[in-house]
Amino acid sequence: MKTFKYAIAGGGMVAGYAGKELVEHGLKPGDLCILSADDALPYERPPLSKGFLAGKDTEDSIQINPEEFYAAHEIDVRLQSPIAAVDASAKTVHLQSGDEIGYEKLLLATGSQVRKLDVIGADLAGVCYLRSLDDCKRIQRLAASAKQAAVIGGGFIGMEVASVLAQKGIRVTMILREDRIWKQFFTPAMSGYFENYYTARDVRFIKEAELAELRGEGDVRSILLKSGDSVPCDLVVAGIGVRPATEIFAKSGLDVSDGVIVDDHLQSSLPDVYAAGDIANYPDNLFGKRRRVEHWDNAVSQGQHCARALTGDRAPFIHVPYFFSDVFDLSYEFWGDTSTSDSIVERGDIGSNSFSIWWLVHDRVVAAFVMNRSDEEREAAPRWIQARQKVDAKRLRSADSIAI
């Protein structure tokens, strides 16, 4: 059994950015091993539902680090090496292949697994999910000949995939369980804006719908809803959420509850074991709550933070939650947490392609959505949230400048 100073269990974005950060902090050749279930080197995930799916990005362009990076620093990257278990007492990672890897310090970054449809016909050809590069390539292949697609789910994955498919000339139907798009996040006015925008681009919505079954002879050809309606389709992409990939840690002694429980340094309940990315359930000191975040920026920031922690930096992880999205010709960004807001301020015309939404709690900014607005607003959003900035709602709504 070979032992490494550092091992990363998972080969996704956390691994790519943690590896890069370790190198910048003086990683010695041969000190790091990355154990990946994937068959590709760590890559950026956002392009999978955006530029790569649309055919604008290449595999090389979405790699976090080029192949030569790992060779130059003698980083042992073991692809197609899924983990079977972690023995923290022996500081050993057991692989499904039967191999074992020893470590001095371990970073857990196994990410998430997609939730799958649980209806008759869910195993028909043409039914897809989007999590990995291989998933994306499969959707690309099927989209090349598809005429009608059904996108199940109205979150950011569903919205982005629907946008790309519609721009390929495919007739897209979005099937939502809720009464409006992305109800968990958008305000009613925001949902209305995006629904109108999509409808104007020939995307159809079916709301408050439940699936009865998927139909077809080998290949999917339609979706039967419990209402009795039938949706014709030769491609289905389901974006119904993910769950943290923590089953392999069940007997490790880790505190696991909606992810791996970590402290504000991202250290787990076991010595020399850290967790980052989708599986890390961490105390968010900005909002006074525990959270687990399934977005690109969180994986990047926590991967970098854990790399510094592995090398002895004991700073707490403090970070404003963030994500961005591109749909059709729109790009927007979001910072913060809307869950406790008691008032909402709109800036700009929400019927146009340029507006921002600000969520407040007792006049303190806790979240912001910004689309095609000034850099002043983009820069103020995370700064105000982190500073717990108090604002005058009336002035925020109407002032030409938001400078404070």
Side-chain angles (χ1 to χ4, degrees), residues 81-156:
S81 298
I83 296 161
V86 172
D87 183 346
S89 61
K91 289 197 168 184
T92 302
V93 178
H94 299 272
L95 304 181
Q96 290 183 13
S97 65
D99 290 344
E100 297 178 347
I101 298 296
Y103 66 85
E104 293 180 25
K105 295 183 179 181
L106 176 65
L107 171 55
L108 305 176
T110 47
S112 293
Q113 298 170 335
V114 295
R115 295 186 185 278
K116 296 194 173 182
L117 299 172
D118 184 19
V119 293
I120 295 170
D123 57 349
L124 288 170
V127 179
C128 303
Y129 305 88
L130 181 53
R131 180 64 188 166
S132 68
L133 184 58
D134 285 342
D135 293 337
C136 187
K137 290 178 180 179
R138 180 167 181 250
I139 296 171
Q140 282 182 321
R141 289 193 300 270
L142 293 169
S145 59
K147 303 298 182 185
Q148 301 182 93
V151 174
I152 301 171
F156 77 96

Side-chain angles (χ1 to χ4, degrees), residues 343-355:
S343 62
I344 296 171
V345 174
E346 298 176 0
R347 282 181 58 82
D349 180 2
I350 203 167
S352 74
N353 296 348
S354 174
F355 61 88

Side-chain angles (χ1 to χ4, degrees), residues 4-308:
F4 295 84
K5 186 171 185 179
Y6 309 117
I8 302 177
M13 291 185 54
V14 168
Y17 281 96
K20 188 174 183 179
E21 189 78 8
L22 283 167
V23 166
E24 292 176 1
H25 281 73
L27 180 73
K28 294 179 180 178
D31 272 357
L32 173 61
C33 180
I34 296 175
L35 302 168
S36 176
D38 211 324
D39 58 2
L41 292 171
Y43 51 84
E44 304 281 7
R45 289 195 185 274
L48 300 185
S49 55
K50 302 180 180 74
F52 190 88
L53 182 59
K56 299 175 182 177
D57 297 324
T58 65
E59 287 190 50
D60 286 344
S61 72
I62 69 171
Q63 283 189 343
I64 296 169
N65 306 301
E67 186 174 356
E68 307 80 60
F69 168 87
Y70 301 98
H73 300 286
E74 296 183 30
I75 298 172
D76 189 344
V77 183
R78 304 194 182 191
L79 301 178
Q80 296 180 296
S81 298
I83 296 161
V86 172
D87 183 346
S89 61
K91 289 197 168 184
T92 302
V93 178
H94 299 272
L95 304 181
Q96 290 183 13
S97 65
D99 290 344
E100 297 178 347
I101 298 296
Y103 66 85
E104 293 180 25
K105 295 183 179 181
L106 176 65
L107 171 55
L108 305 176
T110 47
S112 293
Q113 298 170 335
V114 295
R115 295 186 185 278
K116 296 194 173 182
L117 299 172
D118 184 19
V119 293
I120 295 170
D123 57 349
L124 288 170
V127 179
C128 303
Y129 305 88
L130 181 53
R131 180 64 188 166
S132 68
L133 184 58
D134 285 342
D135 293 337
C136 187
K137 290 178 180 179
R138 180 167 181 250
I139 296 171
Q140 282 182 321
R141 289 193 300 270
L142 293 169
S145 59
K147 303 298 182 185
Q148 301 182 93
V151 174
I152 301 171
F156 77 96
I157 290 293
M159 289 182 68
E160 290 177 354
V161 169
S163 165
V164 172
L165 296 180
Q167 290 178 88
K168 290 179 178 290
I170 299 170
R171 175 66 167 148
V172 178
T173 301
M174 294 192 71
I175 300 174
L176 316 179
R177 293 188 64 180
E178 299 80 13
D179 60 353
R180 57 186 176 87
I181 199 166
W182 211 351
K183 186 173 183 176
Q184 296 88 339
F185 165 55
F186 286 162
T187 66
M190 293 167 71
S191 291
Y193 167 80
F194 281 102
E195 287 173 22
N196 290 336
Y197 197 89
Y198 274 58
T199 299
R201 286 151 184 80
D202 296 323
V203 176
R204 175 190 177 206
F205 288 94
I206 300 179
K207 305 173 190 176
E208 298 181 278
E210 292 189 55
L211 307 187
E213 64 178 281
L214 278 61
R215 292 179 167 179
E217 296 294 331
D219 298 306
V220 67
R221 287 292 176 259
S222 66
I223 296 175
L224 177 66
L225 304 178
K226 288 187 178 180
S227 64
D229 293 333
S230 180
V231 181
C233 55
D234 46 16
L235 170 61
V236 173
V237 181
I240 55 175
V242 297
R243 54 187 176 81
T246 56
E247 294 91 342
I248 55 177
F249 307 133
K251 298 180 181 179
S252 65
L254 283 166
D255 187 355
V256 178
S257 177
D258 185 29
V260 177
I261 303 299
V262 295
D263 62 18
D264 59 2
H265 296 84
L266 303 185
Q267 183 168 346
S268 76
S269 56
L270 298 177
D272 297 322
V273 179
Y274 295 76
D278 290 8
I279 66 168
N281 186 317
Y282 72 97
D284 184 340
N285 294 326
L286 284 177
F287 289 92
K289 62 191 284 187
R290 281 201 161 268
R291 94 168 55 244
R292 191 176 58 78
V293 180
E294 298 164 353
H295 286 297
W296 163 84
D297 182 65
N298 181 69
V300 173
S301 298
Q302 290 192 342
Q304 293 167 333
H305 185 91
C306 280
R308 295 190 293 271

